[in-house]
Amino acid sequence: MECNHWVISSAIPAQSTRETPVWVSLQLLSDELVLDVLGFLDATHLGVLATVSKSFCVFTNHEPLWRNLVLDNLKGEFLFNGLWKSTYIAACYPSFDVENIGVFGRLRIRDFYSDYLFQSWLCANLEMKPEWLERDNIIRKKGISVEEFVLNFEEPNKPVLLEGCLDSWVALEKWDRDYLVNVSGNVRFSVGPVEMRLEDYFRYSDQVKEERPLYLFDPKFAQKVPILGSEFEVPVYFREDLFSVLGNERPDYRWVIIGPAGSGSSFHIDPNSTSAWNAVIKGSKKWVLFPPDVVPPGVHPSPDGAEVACPVSIIEWFMNFYGATKNWKKRPIECICKAGEVIFVPNGWWHLVINLEESIAITQNYVSMRNLLNVLDFLKRPNASTLVSGTRDRVNLHDKFKNAIETSFPGTIDQLMQKAEEKKAQEKKPSFWDSVTDSKVGAFKFSF
């Protein structure tokens, strides 16, 4: 339902009053807005409000409210306890028995209905349907040369799934959760807005059932645990990495990614107009990609591209929008990328990724000669301070990068610009038949 009539029917005393109680105004709010309001309360006030009525008992026990309290107040210093509320109480009130607390304790609540809360619960518990996994239309290649990759995929900016190029990786054999926990020890990794020990994160991921699971996504993993950086190498197709000319001033460019089934990344375009590769070490991932000129359904980028509004979770996107893409003229590129496989994500492509099982992967964004001009154009946009990411010096990144390229590769930028102009002129040049045919009257004519 759109409005929470239980707020008024079970929270307002029968007797009338001269002034309208504050609860009556809440009847006008959607369930989503009520929860937004409750998000301003601390744990104590949520607990008190839960005693007012059955509706408030339900709303104040909404798990995302307690998740935010845990992440905001405890940072990464928590041991997940099956529920976010019990996790918070166990950490803040150690003497309190949370073993049998449940969502509502011993209270049984009937006749409460909320489409919004049900949708959140459904998305947290629904598994990927078989029809969402059937389409696999990406080009797959194994053993191709670097020249073939550049000619057929990097230059035309087309995705491809590459097989067999991780066979020499030590990580492919060794990187399971036990090994990673052992070599990482007490090192903390970036998990959403907090940093957690790997052992604590796995404790969370083993128990969690939520719409948007926390995702371990750390750009400094190789510095934090150097042995991990030595157990993989960049696939041969992606070794031209021009941002490396900036040394320690380069933007964040590589990440280790770990997450349970259902975790992932909603639709986005990779930062700084870079291309990327993503290598799966354990598990499997479903990918959906749209070309730069096709905005995915349900996604609303701002005119300047600085912000992207994707108001639904990944599962909800599949529920509400995926089916419509089957009839689109420009259908998305889709695949399931499994352990040992690498996907090439060209610059500017929208993509969504969801883990189908617990997965471990490495991804890297890079700039090659084929993409250099695009990146330079992106970095010098008027709103670069908003668009550029992964570095503290957003405003000056363009000049630093351009100067470093000109120092390391003299004349390269001018040569690339000349080739781009020649290509543009060639595309505008009329064909033979265009030159001898009058498009307005269809009459034959000589053009010499």
Side-chain angles (χ1 to χ4, degrees), residues 86-157:
S86 60
T87 299
Y88 182 89
I89 293 174
C92 297
Y93 306 96
S95 61
F96 194 90
D97 182 13
V98 296
E99 288 297 321
N100 300 308
I101 191 172
V103 177
F104 306 122
R106 297 179 180 179
L107 183 64
R108 298 183 66 184
I109 295 178
R110 296 179 179 179
D111 301 322
F112 179 90
Y113 308 97
S114 169
D115 289 342
Y116 180 79
L117 293 180
F118 173 74
Q119 184 82 347
S120 178
W121 174 87
L122 179 63
C123 291
N125 289 274
L126 186 67
E127 295 182 355
M128 290 287 287
K129 295 181 179 180
E131 56 264 34
W132 297 343
L133 304 175
E134 290 174 351
R135 196 185 304 170
D136 192 327
N137 57 355
I138 198 170
I139 298 174
R140 294 173 177 265
K141 291 292 182 179
K142 184 175 183 178
I144 63 173
S145 66
V146 174
E147 293 74 20
E148 185 179 352
F149 167 75
V150 170
L151 179 65
N152 295 325
F153 301 104
E154 194 177 32
E155 284 188 346
N157 215 41

Side-chain angles (χ1 to χ4, degrees), residues 336-350:
I336 295 176
C337 192
K338 300 178 180 179
E341 299 177 338
V342 181
I343 186 171
F344 166 63
V345 183
N347 76 89
W349 278 67
W350 292 94

Side-chain angles (χ1 to χ4, degrees), residues 294-401:
V294 179
V295 178
V299 177
H300 308 283
S302 61
D304 64 357
E307 297 181 356
V308 177
C310 191
V312 298
S313 63
I314 297 174
I315 287 290
E316 194 169 359
W317 185 86
F318 276 97
M319 293 170 57
N320 295 340
F321 297 103
Y322 177 76
T325 65
K326 292 183 178 180
N327 301 318
W328 283 27
K329 184 177 180 180
K330 289 188 177 181
R331 297 181 181 180
I333 299 295
E334 300 181 44
C335 68
I336 295 176
C337 192
K338 300 178 180 179
E341 299 177 338
V342 181
I343 186 171
F344 166 63
V345 183
N347 76 89
W349 278 67
W350 292 94
H351 50 284
L352 168 153
V353 192
I354 183 169
N355 292 316
L356 303 180
E357 55 190 305
E358 181 177 275
S359 298
I360 303 171
I362 288 176
T363 189
Q364 180 167 327
N365 292 83
Y366 74 103
V367 183
S368 70
M369 291 296 180
R370 270 67 59 189
N371 193 31
L372 177 58
L373 295 184
N374 287 333
V375 172
L376 288 172
D377 286 343
F378 181 89
L379 296 181
K380 70 176 181 181
R381 289 185 182 181
N383 56 343
S385 61
T386 303
L387 294 176
V388 174
S389 65
T391 180
R392 293 180 179 178
D393 192 2
R394 299 181 178 187
V395 176
N396 298 311
L397 183 60
H398 170 268
D399 292 343
K400 288 181 177 179
F401 185 39

Side-chain angles (χ1 to χ4, degrees), residues 179-364:
Y179 175 76
L180 293 177
V181 167
N182 183 53
V183 298
S184 299
N186 290 320
V187 172
R188 296 183 178 277
F189 295 90
S190 297
V191 178
V194 301
E195 292 200 339
M196 299 177 65
R197 294 191 313 136
L198 203 50
E199 184 176 10
D200 296 339
Y201 177 73
F202 282 130
R203 174 186 172 119
Y204 157 82
S205 65
D206 282 342
Q207 302 179 70
V208 71
K209 273 285 186 181
E210 57 186 340
E211 188 174 4
R212 295 178 173 88
L214 292 175
Y215 209 11
L216 190 153
F217 211 92
D218 195 294
K220 306 295 184 185
F221 73 99
Q223 293 98 307
K224 293 177 179 179
V225 188
I227 191 173
L228 297 182
S230 69
E231 293 179 338
F232 73 95
E233 60 183 357
V234 176
V236 63
Y237 309 103
F238 314 111
R239 290 181 182 170
E240 187 176 55
D241 180 17
L242 298 181
F243 259 146
S244 64
V245 299
L246 291 173
N248 293 331
E249 291 189 276
R250 71 177 299 167
D252 292 339
Y253 68 105
R254 64 180 178 183
W255 295 261
V256 63
I257 312 172
I258 303 175
S263 61
S265 301
S266 56
F267 276 110
H268 64 284
I269 295 173
D270 279 339
N272 305 330
S273 196
T274 55
S275 298
W277 55 269
N278 186 297
V280 179
I281 297 172
K282 290 286 187 295
S284 57
K285 298 171 178 285
K286 167 72 178 184
W287 286 77
V288 181
L289 305 97
F290 287 89
D293 61 330
V294 179
V295 178
V299 177
H300 308 283
S302 61
D304 64 357
E307 297 181 356
V308 177
C310 191
V312 298
S313 63
I314 297 174
I315 287 290
E316 194 169 359
W317 185 86
F318 276 97
M319 293 170 57
N320 295 340
F321 297 103
Y322 177 76
T325 65
K326 292 183 178 180
N327 301 318
W328 283 27
K329 184 177 180 180
K330 289 188 177 181
R331 297 181 181 180
I333 299 295
E334 300 181 44
C335 68
I336 295 176
C337 192
K338 300 178 180 179
E341 299 177 338
V342 181
I343 186 171
F344 166 63
V345 183
N347 76 89
W349 278 67
W350 292 94
H351 50 284
L352 168 153
V353 192
I354 183 169
N355 292 316
L356 303 180
E357 55 190 305
E358 181 177 275
S359 298
I360 303 171
I362 288 176
T363 189
Q364 180 167 327

